[in-house]
Amino acid sequence: MREKGEELYELASEWQRNISTQCVAIQAVMRGNLTYNQALDLQNEAVTRGKYYRIRLLAQAYFPDITGRLGEVEEKVEAVSKLRTYHKAAYQTGEASAAAAFLKPFTDANLALSEAMNELKGEIAVRVGSL
């Protein structure tokens, strides 16, 4: 059981790093420092999705008491994803000033996501430490 908890923590950390990399790339697009194609080159969404599914499985199967915290992270991921989608639509229409307006809300949502991820990892660490 401890090994599953350690794997869960490691996967959550990697998931957080992958999401952070994606967010930094999109923030660079919002600032006008990268194109969307350049940002996409920096990302690897398949890895992020794969890690998420494994995290969800481990949480549900071995640590169901943290699924509430995981749900909070999922809500934050969804908020970041929506802003990213809205920004991309503005970017694709050539509305550079409108696209730049997404920077602060996106940054705020990303910070909230990072805090939620840290809380999730903290809860996992406490849970694993009690095994």
Side-chain angles (χ1 to χ4, degrees):
M1 181 85 140
R2 183 175 184 84
E3 292 82 21
K4 297 294 183 191
E6 290 170 353
E7 179 185 3
L8 179 58
Y9 185 90
E10 185 177 308
L11 288 170
S13 294
E14 189 173 341
W15 187 37
Q16 183 179 23
R17 281 189 304 276
N18 289 341
I19 289 172
S20 294
T21 298
Q22 291 177 12
C23 288
V24 167
I26 296 303
Q27 286 170 323
V29 173
M30 291 176 181
R31 288 186 183 102
N33 298 331
L34 291 178
T35 66
Y36 246 98
N37 286 339
Q38 290 169 323
L40 291 173
D41 289 342
L42 298 174
Q43 300 173 28
N44 188 344
E45 292 192 42
V47 169
T48 299
R49 275 194 302 272
K51 300 301 178 200
Y52 164 74
Y53 294 132
R54 182 70 180 158
I55 289 166
R56 170 58 69 189
L57 172 69
L58 289 170
Q60 289 177 331
Y62 299 99
F63 305 97
D65 53 320
I66 68 160
T67 56
R69 182 72 69 190
L70 182 56
E72 292 171 16
V73 170
E74 292 165 344
E75 289 173 11
K76 305 292 187 209
V77 168
E78 182 63 27
V80 167
S81 294
K82 282 182 182 178
L83 285 167
R84 180 179 166 178
T85 299
Y86 297 150
H87 169 262
K88 186 174 182 180
Y91 177 89
Q92 289 175 329
T93 62
E95 299 176 35
S97 62
F102 286 96
L103 184 57
K104 178 158 179 27
F106 186 81
T107 300
D108 292 346
N110 186 36
L111 288 173
L113 171 57
S114 182
E115 289 173 13
M117 289 291 282
N118 287 334
E119 290 171 5
L120 172 65
K121 290 181 354 186
E123 198 164 315
I124 293 168
V126 166
R127 183 75 170 83
V128 170
S130 69
L131 296 176

